[in-house]
Amino acid sequence: CLVDGKFTVHELCARFSPNVLVFDQVSKYERQGMLPTKLHKTIMKEVNRGRKLSCNVCRKKGATYGCGNDACRKSFHIACAVKGNCAADHT
């Protein structure tokens, strides 16, 4: 989202969204001076994907967190997954 002219994102939403640059890649892009551009692109890709996905708990759009079972196609908002006792293995 845009706050005071700055692009912001919920850390947990970014961390558990599959298309966002994973945190172990951050230092590589920092060294190359490409981090802001690369992060912005991956976040925007995930925002656009999330606009098409409805949360299985609240039914609202923006649910980029997927079920931990590869055979399951359900999506959630992080907070809804916690409230709905939805388990995923992210160890």
Side-chain angles (χ1 to χ4, degrees), residues 23-86:
F23 288 89
D24 62 348
Q25 294 175 323
V26 166
S27 61
K28 174 181 122 179
Y29 288 107
E30 275 180 327
R31 287 192 304 275
Q32 295 173 355
M34 296 173 49
L35 183 60
T37 302
K38 190 69 172 174
L39 274 176
H40 186 266
K41 283 182 182 179
T42 61
I43 290 168
M44 290 312 299
K45 182 177 181 180
E46 198 62 6
V47 166
N48 289 330
R49 187 179 80 86
R51 287 181 177 144
K52 301 171 195 162
L53 299 172
S54 296
C55 177
N56 196 61
V57 174
C58 74
R59 305 286 184 226
K60 294 180 182 176
K61 297 285 186 188
T64 59
Y65 179 66
C67 179
N69 180 341
D70 290 339
C72 181
R73 308 301 293 165
K74 294 178 182 177
S75 294
F76 307 93
H77 298 106
I78 297 288
C80 291
V82 171
K83 288 178 195 171
N85 292 319
C86 304

